[in-house]
Amino acid sequence: MAHHARAKAHTNIALSKYWGKRDNELILPMNGSLSLTLDAFHTTTEVRFIEERGSDTVLLNEQPLDDSATAKVSRFLDRVRALKGVDWRAEVHSHNQVPTGAGLASSSSAFAALAGAASRALGLELDERALSILARKGSGSASRSIFGGFALWQAGEDDLSSYAYPLQSPLYDDIAMLVVVINAAHKPVTSREGMRRTVDTSPYYSAWVKDAEQRLGEMKHAVTHGDFTRMGELAEMSAMRMHASMLAAEPPFCYWESGSLQVMQIVRELRAQGCQCYFTMDAGPNVKIITRNSELAVLKRALAATVDEQALLTARPGPGLLVENC
Ligand code: 2P0
């Protein structure tokens, strides 16, 4: 019997951010988050289990992962093996379809695809909730990439209550995201380390958690009722408040670069002129502009003086996890 399956998952960008864990092993978040899965960036992963003990091999874009990244994948696969009660080694082939040098985090699509392929390869019949819980334990944001379009990851109380679910929205056909690549190099502080440092040392962190949970309810309402303006305002605020919590950490850290600030300012100016656009930023210098399809041309023209054409990537809502047997 072939223990072999393939899965494809798309990356997501949080509109209401996840920042900080209350359990680092299970990846339980301090606060819930809400995201949009994008069509432009995805990961395809094949997993084959061999009925013998031994070490796992993991190739990303045909290159072997380094020891530390392989160990992270193996620890995740251990969870899947435990669900089935086997100790077989795995061969993993993964391909990231993210435009070269985009500098976008891919752990959301990577662990969603790995959860889908590994569980199917072992014949586990996991529903979407179980897949979201499993993917979460690889990387928090991966819990949301099980679903297409908008998804809400509820913080929950424990392992089984911390999962994402999809949200229907009248905004689905209209929303677009313009990713502005400021710098594609590796970030100096990983999001995992950044979260830990903020939770442990930032005096603003408790305010972040309290506010994030309140605003998440408002964001859910705006998304499900098609209130684009409120959704955009809340998304921008969530990003600013998340980054504010890091600025107050010890030692402080900041993902923004001068180019990020320039783009943020352009977005504010265009908005003052009536263009419907808002920005969000994650654990890196790139800026994601949340807008409507009808505003894309205006935005691209306005950014052309500041940003190279190749540094602008357009995305729309993308699909949820797809899994197939090989
Ligand atoms: C998010 N980020 O909600 C937040 C906003 C970055 C900033 O989730 O440690 O790769 O694997 O759970 O999910 C990026 O961190 O972190 C992230 P882990 P993850 O999208």
Side-chain angles (χ1 to χ4, degrees):
M1 163 145 177
H3 309 291
H4 190 191
R6 181 186 305 124
K8 179 175 177 179
H10 289 71
T11 58
N12 70 75
I13 298 295
L15 304 175
S16 288
K17 304 297 185 188
Y18 144 54
W19 195 252
K21 301 174 180 62
R22 63 192 158 81
D23 186 318
N24 291 307
E25 269 305 298
L26 291 173
I27 310 197
L28 298 175
M30 289 282 202
N31 64 279
S33 54
L34 190 153
S35 62
L36 181 66
T37 298
L38 301 180
D39 63 352
F41 321 111
H42 60 262
T43 303
T44 306
T45 297
E46 264 186 61
V47 177
R48 183 197 301 271
F49 285 97
I50 320 286
E51 291 190 30
E52 59 188 33
R53 296 175 80 168
S55 38
D56 300 319
T57 55
V58 187
L59 299 185
L60 175 61
N61 298 335
E62 313 298 342
Q63 300 295 319
L65 286 187
D66 64 30
D67 288 351
S68 133
T70 302
K72 189 172 167 186
V73 170
S74 280
R75 281 197 300 276
F76 181 79
L77 290 172
D78 286 343
R79 293 188 182 278
V80 187
R81 285 185 275 250
L83 288 174
K84 184 71 178 178
V86 297
D87 59 2
W88 304 333
R89 71 180 179 89
E91 290 175 358
V92 179
H93 285 247
S94 199
H95 289 93
N96 258 346
Q97 310 293 326
V98 177
T100 316
L104 289 174
S106 54
S107 67
S108 61
S109 53
F111 279 97
L114 187 62
S119 59
R120 177 67 70 88
L122 287 181
L124 296 163
E125 294 290 332
L126 303 187
D127 61 16
E128 287 182 327
R129 180 180 296 182
L131 282 167
S132 177
I133 290 170
L134 176 61
R136 188 201 76 222
K137 289 182 250 190
S139 189
S141 54
S143 65
R144 304 184 305 234
S145 273
I146 300 301
F147 304 99
F150 295 93
L152 192 154
W153 172 19
Q154 60 182 25
E157 307 275 307
D158 54 16
D159 184 25
L160 293 181
S161 56
S162 185
Y163 53 82
Y165 58 88
L167 292 177
Q168 302 307 315
S169 171
L171 300 174
Y172 187 92
D173 291 326
D174 196 22
I175 193 168
M177 213 174 257
L178 195 56
V179 178
V180 187
V181 179
I182 304 293
N183 181 349
H186 261 290
K187 47 199 178 199
V189 182
T190 64
S191 49
R192 202 157 279 197
E193 160 60 18
M195 285 188 206
R196 199 168 300 176
R197 196 187 299 174
T198 312
V199 173
D200 290 347
T201 68
S202 175
Y204 297 171
Y205 189 69
S206 54
W208 157 261
V209 174
K210 185 160 170 260
D211 180 72
E213 274 301 326
Q214 278 169 5
R215 300 292 176 175
L216 179 62
E218 268 189 71
M219 176 63 95
K220 181 180 180 183
H221 187 269
V223 165
T224 54
H225 289 77
D227 186 343
F228 184 91
T229 302
R230 193 60 187 149
M231 178 272 298
E233 289 170 354
L234 287 164
E236 211 173 278
M237 213 151 55
S238 175
M240 294 300 268
R241 290 178 181 182
M242 176 184 75
H243 286 274
S245 73
M246 308 170 199
L247 293 176
E250 183 179 353
F253 59 105
C254 181
Y255 290 112
W256 302 352
E257 295 183 8
S258 56
S260 324
L261 287 162
Q262 249 182 319
V263 173
M264 287 152 84
Q265 190 53 27
I266 291 170
V267 169
R268 290 192 192 101
E269 282 164 13
L270 286 171
R271 197 159 67 225
Q273 292 162 24
C275 177
Q276 296 186 67
C277 56
Y278 300 86
F279 62 77
T280 186
M281 288 186 65
D282 293 291
N286 302 332
V287 183
K288 292 102 185 180
I289 304 177
I290 304 156
T291 191
R292 291 185 187 274
N293 279 321
S294 52
E295 305 279 28
L296 278 170
V298 171
L299 272 166
K300 286 180 185 174
R301 255 199 316 276
L303 287 162
T306 315
V307 183
D308 282 350
E309 204 181 322
Q310 311 92 278
L312 286 182
L313 310 168
T314 307
R316 295 196 172 77
L321 178 71
L322 193 81
V323 187
E324 57 190 13
N325 296 314
C326 294

